[in-house]
Amino acid sequence: MIRAGRLADTLIGLVPIALILLAWQAVHSAGLAPPALLPSPAAVFTRLAQQLGSPAYLEHAAATLYRLFAGFGLALAVGVALGVAATGSRAVGAVTGPIVRVLAPVPKIALYPAFILTLGFDDASKIAAVFVDAVFPILIATRQGTAVVEPKLAWSARAAGVSPARCLVTVVLPAALPSVLTGARIGLVISCIVVFLAEMITSTDGLGHLLVRAARNFQTVDMFVPLITISLLGLTLNAAFNALRARLLRGFPEES
Amino acid sequence: MIAIDAVSKEFETKGGRRHLAIDDIGLAVADGEFVSILGPSGCGKSTLLYIVGGFVPPSRGSVTVGGKPVTGPGPDRGPVFQEFALFPWKTVLGNVMYGLQQQGVGRTQARERARALLAMVHLEGYESFYPKELSGGMKQRVAIARTLAYRPSILLMDEPFGALDAHTRTRLQNDLTEIWERDRKTVLFVTHSVEEAVFLSDRVVVMTRSPGRIKEIVTIDLPRPRDRVTLLLERRYQDHVVAIERMMDAQE
């Protein structure tokens, strides 16, 4: 029953996507937009299928994915470590609190030109851009999640002879996992956006670079292909993240 | 032995005012003694227990356990909370094994001991369940096993059966007396149920309304091992319950 219900939900969710594709096709067929600017969906998806078989295209996709995961992975490690430390130590909390409040709302993509100047055109500047944007939601969610963990969970561990630092890692952090994962998901979405954006601004490879290059040359079909690729990547990453989350949180009450 | 000496605890309220939770508590608990702390809600009886546990520092006074001053939590004092406080990300077995593994006991050995303890609290077959899949009574059994695992010489029980239905509560009280009869640990037991306190304890400490002070200490001279049904018909049991009920009523 539940499985059938989920399947129905998925099918209903596909309806708007199908409608967008239909509308796209309709606009194209009715000639409302010049074909040079708006290619037909069929043309774009045929090209996508071609490109997904082309090693050159896959290399660009791999470059984007590498920057995405390196930046996000760094943000996850640093954000979680600092968030936990800020809860565990009054000094770390006092130092990180104000700076996080000041920097969190700044659009960090503005730092990207500075990263290019200091770190160069290669991967490092893109990874840095992804990192600085993704680290804040993870840090904030970890800090807040660990701060509100029921003290009696920690007491139960401390009474067993566990040191405060060990208790932080073995009890407080896992207890805050629902919140940490919510921050991580926001960080992942931001990472997807920023890596693409950074590649669009200045890059010599990657999906974002392909899109900008195609647009500048009026190759509209090739412009849409990276866009769809990155959407599919986002969908896949989200599904993988949800599966991992469900597994990690299987002992927690449903609403968290 | 637990020696509580002139302990007071003041909290700062949100408005910046000071609230005296407990005032000048002095109490000595002998090794192997079962002492209940009984009082109306908000009288600070749980606070007193947290101070003995080393989870909360006293504002004035001191607590020594076995002659050593309490400065923080330690494995000689095992808490059991009303809210169970189980680790939701660990299975039943994982919860009971946690303290042992943190103390450096090997995995196989920790698992063996955890299984034995779970059998003792009548939970064999539930090792791989998550706490959320258990009833309240079963959760509290897991919590008791988790605390017994690291062999504390003192149990600090904070209204452990307060969140359970009457039937489960009775069963767990019976099980607790059974467990206690085996090795006679020192128990400090916070409750607001007079019957529970009289049934379980050697002595009942009756506290006043906030700020909590000791109003009276009643020695329960009923023979052990105690059996609930026999006890209910016993005149001395009834007298204790009635006398303590009157004491509590007199404060209203």
Side-chain angles (χ1 to χ4, degrees):
Chain A
M1 258 329 274
I2 291 167
R3 273 175 179 274
R6 272 197 200 141
L7 188 65
D9 281 354
T10 313
L11 289 176
I12 290 169
L14 287 175
V15 169
I17 298 173
L19 281 177
I20 289 175
L21 289 175
L22 269 176
W24 178 5
Q25 181 65 52
V27 170
H28 176 81
S29 306
L32 290 174
L37 292 184
L38 187 74
S40 77
V44 170
F45 281 98
T46 313
R47 184 86 182 115
L48 176 69
Q50 265 173 20
Q51 290 285 49
L52 288 180
S54 133
Y57 186 81
L58 289 180
E59 254 173 55
H60 284 286
T64 301
L65 269 181
Y66 166 65
R67 292 159 185 164
L68 170 68
F69 280 124
F72 173 71
L74 269 176
L76 192 64
V78 173
V80 168
L82 271 183
V84 170
T87 294
S89 142
R90 185 170 290 209
V92 177
V95 169
T96 54
I99 192 153
V100 167
R101 269 192 292 277
V102 169
L103 291 182
V106 174
K108 264 85 54 188
I109 192 70
L111 293 171
Y112 183 57
F115 288 145
I116 299 240
L117 291 177
T118 50
L119 299 171
F121 285 93
D122 285 340
D123 293 332
S125 55
K126 282 103 193 146
I127 291 170
V130 170
F131 167 76
V132 292
D133 240 331
V135 74
F136 284 96
I138 299 171
L139 170 54
I140 291 168
T142 306
R143 165 81 171 118
Q144 287 174 347
T146 48
V148 298
V149 167
E150 165 61 54
K152 281 164 192 167
L153 286 182
W155 292 358
S156 297
R158 298 274 288 112
V162 178
S163 72
R166 252 193 113 76
C167 174
L168 212 53
V169 176
T170 59
V171 171
V172 177
L173 178 59
L177 208 54
S179 172
V180 172
L181 289 179
T182 303
R185 171 194 254 143
I186 297 169
L188 186 61
V189 171
I190 291 178
S191 300
C192 284
I193 297 169
V194 170
V195 74
F196 205 64
L197 213 54
E199 286 177 352
M200 284 174 68
I201 295 170
T202 314
S203 187
T204 51
D205 57 356
L207 293 173
H209 164 72
L210 285 186
L211 184 143
V212 170
R213 196 182 64 185
R216 287 191 184 132
N217 297 320
F218 279 102
Q219 294 166 326
T220 44
V221 174
D222 283 310
M223 188 183 79
F224 278 98
V225 169
L227 192 67
I228 291 169
T229 310
I230 197 100
S231 315
L232 291 176
L233 268 178
L235 265 173
T236 315
L237 284 178
N238 198 44
F241 189 91
N242 280 343
L244 182 70
R245 185 176 191 277
R247 183 161 173 74
L248 287 174
L249 297 188
R250 65 197 186 283
F252 285 81
E254 300 300 339
E255 66 274 12
S256 56
Chain B
M1 195 184 100
I2 309 170
I4 302 169
D5 184 31
V7 163
S8 300
K9 179 69 188 179
E10 255 178 2
F11 289 107
E12 191 136 351
T13 57
K14 279 247 165 72
R17 270 175 302 162
R18 300 190 152 266
H19 168 71
L20 188 61
I22 51 174
D23 187 24
D24 193 28
I25 303 274
L27 179 69
V29 181
D31 286 338
E33 199 181 9
F34 198 123
V35 173
S36 285
I37 302 172
L38 188 68
S41 19
C43 75
K45 52 193 191 296
S46 295
T47 305
L48 179 63
L49 199 77
Y50 302 159
I51 291 173
V52 175
F55 308 124
V56 171
S59 304
R60 283 181 295 281
S62 66
V63 178
T64 57
V65 169
K68 273 182 272 173
V70 167
T71 51
D76 53 337
R77 287 152 287 142
V80 176
F81 300 108
Q82 181 178 5
E83 308 85 345
F84 323 127
L86 294 172
F87 306 134
W89 62 94
K90 283 183 181 292
T91 60
V92 166
L93 193 68
N95 267 279
V96 181
M97 282 169 68
Y98 172 81
L100 291 169
Q101 286 192 293
Q102 290 298 321
Q103 287 179 354
V105 176
R107 213 181 156 70
T108 342
Q109 219 184 330
R111 189 183 294 128
E112 219 165 273
R113 172 148 174 80
R115 279 184 192 282
L117 280 164
L118 285 169
M120 189 174 90
V121 296
H122 311 296
L123 277 178
E124 53 269 270
Y126 290 95
E127 288 85 354
S128 58
F129 281 56
Y130 282 91
K132 73 167 179 190
E133 298 162 330
L134 305 180
S135 68
M138 291 160 98
K139 282 182 195 161
Q140 196 55 291
R141 288 169 193 276
V142 177
I144 290 171
R146 180 181 65 176
T147 297
L148 291 175
Y150 50 85
R151 295 190 171 86
S153 56
I154 298 167
L155 286 181
L156 303 173
M157 309 188 85
D158 180 22
E159 299 194 41
F161 310 141
L164 308 176
D165 64 81
H167 174 69
T168 312
R169 197 182 170 111
T170 312
R171 283 192 51 194
L172 273 159
Q173 287 168 358
N174 290 339
D175 290 347
L176 178 62
T177 50
E178 221 172 273
I179 292 168
W180 183 78
E181 288 293 347
R182 286 185 206 186
D183 52 5
R184 297 236 172 180
K185 286 183 193 298
T186 313
V187 182
L188 210 49
F189 190 99
V190 164
T191 179
H192 55 247
S193 155
V194 176
E195 288 93 341
E196 183 169 79
V198 173
F199 173 58
L200 294 170
S201 314
D202 297 317
R203 284 193 295 159
V204 177
V205 177
V206 183
M207 288 184 62
T208 62
R209 284 199 164 274
S210 176
R213 297 189 184 91
I214 293 183
K215 186 185 172 78
E216 209 160 323
I217 300 178
V218 183
T219 303
I220 310 295
D221 48 357
L222 296 165
R224 292 192 186 265
R226 293 176 189 165
D227 172 61
R228 176 180 303 277
V229 182
T230 341
L231 220 52
L232 286 174
L233 291 168
E234 168 102 27
R235 187 60 204 260
R236 278 184 298 168
Y237 170 79
Q238 297 163 355
D239 286 346
H240 279 310
V241 171
V242 171
I244 296 173
E245 288 277 11
R246 289 226 169 95
M247 238 179 263
M248 307 269 291
D249 282 347
Q251 303 189 37
E252 294 295 315

